[in-house]
Amino acid sequence: MKGRPLLPFAIIAIVGIVVMISLSFIGLNQREAMQADEEGEEEVTEIEDPVAAGEELVQASCIGCHGGDLSGGAGPALTSLEGQYTQEEITDIVVNGIGSMPSVNDNEVEADAIAQYLLSISE
């Protein structure tokens, strides 16, 4: 040990580098798998009952700002949109946001279901 005092440190350094490289490759493989899973989840092509699906999506996404009964809260009331907005405009707002409202859902089919539901409950 007296002749080579740096040998244990060199071995530890080499082992550490090998472990870091191995973990990097494992992480890259997991990231690719996660991205593939996320892309597979986005495949919603059509909804059988868009009004019912829209109601579920609204309950999950909108009531925090627009109130439990959608009569307003931090955001405006959503119960009287008919005549103010078309279905396409509401879908665009849900996908892209407007003013201080952020984008809620970037899936066009789900955003359209939300728009159909909101127009169906308009007074």
Side-chain angles (χ1 to χ4, degrees):
M1 191 72 180
K2 288 185 178 186
R4 298 185 182 181
L6 295 178
L7 186 62
F9 297 110
I11 293 172
I12 291 171
I14 291 171
V15 169
I17 290 171
V18 169
V19 168
M20 285 181 10
I21 291 171
S22 300
L23 291 176
S24 296
F25 282 115
I26 291 170
L28 286 174
N29 289 338
Q30 288 179 346
R31 184 172 117 195
E32 290 172 3
M34 287 173 57
Q35 287 175 343
D37 288 344
E38 288 174 3
E39 290 172 5
E41 291 174 3
E42 294 293 324
E43 294 182 25
V44 175
T45 54
E46 71 178 64
I47 298 174
E48 287 184 31
D49 187 2
V51 174
E55 182 178 12
E56 290 178 20
L57 292 165
V58 164
Q59 293 296 320
S61 303
C62 305
I63 62 172
C65 296
H66 296 281
D69 59 355
L70 303 177
S71 63
L78 299 178
T79 56
S80 58
L81 297 179
E82 191 169 5
Q84 292 182 2
Y85 296 101
T86 65
Q87 182 174 332
E88 291 79 23
E89 290 172 328
I90 297 171
T91 301
D92 183 60
I93 291 169
V94 170
V95 171
N96 300 312
I98 188 172
S100 63
M101 179 180 153
S103 168
V104 176
N105 191 327
D106 62 353
N107 183 312
E108 289 279 336
V109 174
E110 292 180 356
D112 194 52
I114 291 172
Q116 288 183 40
Y117 170 70
L118 292 175
L119 289 174
S120 76
I121 63 166
S122 286
E123 299 170 346

